[in-house]
Amino acid sequence: MRDSRHNDQAGFTLAELMIVVAILAILASLAVPNLLASGARANESATIANLRSIASAQFRFKAMSLVDRDLSGSYEYGTFTELAGTEPVRTYGDRIRPGLLGASFGTVDGNGRLNRQGYFYALYLPDAGGVGVSATLANASVLADPAFSEIAFSVVAWPASYGNSGTAAFFVNQEGEILRSTTARYSGAASIPAAGCAMVGTASPETIIGGRLPRNGEVGSDGNTWRTLQ
């Protein structure tokens, strides 16, 4: 004779399984946004540290007196690959060993951009009109103005995927102060901050000569609010 009690207790019913699946879906919907937000915050913290490293490398590069294309006795700022020691320094003829950033800092693409820890980075040097040009080695050798490149550079950093890898854009220049914007919506290769996006009083957002950094809460040349990190 079959024991009906055994059949009643064996396994879950369809209704019970549906309830379990629904609970798991709810828990996942709560956990995933928190995980994304945590990852974005970690990426932003890493970006701030990276920008400090880049600015410090630029100051050291200039102090090493390596590039003086106009023979003025005042030396120019460098490119990502020069700072990292992955390409020979202009007019110097050799690489910096060890690199000021380290060869493992990131791979520079053909447009002079880095992609690191969920963020893109672009470094600019000024041309003869003060407009920032992407600081590839070729551009720095031809388009960048020697005199202006002795006094200015800028670096912008923005999320590779806005809302997923980060929610803030960042800016640093020769003054060494890192600025942050949470109103900017730059995202990936299709939306790139201009060279002077965080500056005030320039002729255009692309200009990095002749302006100043914004005071806290002031709108930059790109129309976004930028604040200095404390």
Side-chain angles (χ1 to χ4, degrees):
M1 180 175 179
R2 297 180 62 185
D3 188 345
S4 61
R5 290 176 300 171
H6 176 76
N7 290 338
D8 291 341
Q9 296 173 357
F12 293 103
T13 67
L14 179 59
E16 289 171 332
L17 288 173
M18 291 177 66
I19 291 172
V20 171
V21 170
I23 292 172
L24 291 175
I26 293 171
L27 292 175
S29 69
L30 296 173
V32 170
N34 289 333
L35 288 172
L36 289 175
S38 177
R41 286 193 296 270
N43 290 342
E44 290 170 11
S45 295
T47 299
I48 293 168
N50 289 336
L51 287 174
R52 289 198 174 106
S53 295
I54 293 169
S56 176
Q58 282 285 40
F59 302 145
R60 291 167 62 194
F61 182 89
K62 182 175 171 64
M64 291 170 70
S65 305
L66 296 174
V67 180
D68 182 17
R69 288 179 296 147
D70 60 1
L71 303 178
S72 66
S74 184
Y75 294 87
E76 300 169 41
Y77 290 109
T79 69
F80 276 142
T81 55
E82 289 174 321
L83 299 176
T86 57
E87 287 190 292
V89 176
R90 292 161 292 156
T91 74
Y92 179 63
D94 199 0
R95 302 178 184 183
I96 297 175
R97 296 182 175 89
L100 302 178
L101 290 177
S104 63
F105 189 82
T107 301
V108 180
D109 66 19
N111 296 310
R113 293 191 291 264
L114 285 171
N115 187 349
R116 180 178 172 85
Q117 294 170 296
Y119 266 73
F120 281 114
Y121 299 75
L123 190 159
Y124 297 97
L125 293 173
D127 67 9
V131 172
V133 295
S134 179
T136 63
L137 199 58
N139 286 350
S141 300
V142 178
L143 299 179
D145 181 74
F148 281 158
S149 295
E150 296 167 356
I151 62 175
F153 72 89
S154 72
V155 182
V156 294
W158 69 101
S161 175
Y162 179 83
N164 295 314
S165 63
T167 58
F170 298 91
F171 176 94
V172 68
N173 69 358
Q174 69 280 354
E175 296 191 30
E177 294 184 356
I178 298 175
L179 283 83
R180 179 174 184 261
S181 175
T182 56
T183 64
R185 296 294 186 270
Y186 300 113
S187 182
S191 177
I192 303 172
C197 58
M199 298 184 70
V200 176
T202 56
S204 70
E206 291 79 19
T207 306
I208 60 176
I209 295 291
R212 62 172 175 81
L213 295 182
R215 300 177 182 89
N216 276 343
E218 196 169 9
V219 174
S221 61
D222 67 347
N224 291 299
T225 301
W226 292 84
R227 297 181 182 278
T228 303
L229 293 180
Q230 303 300 319

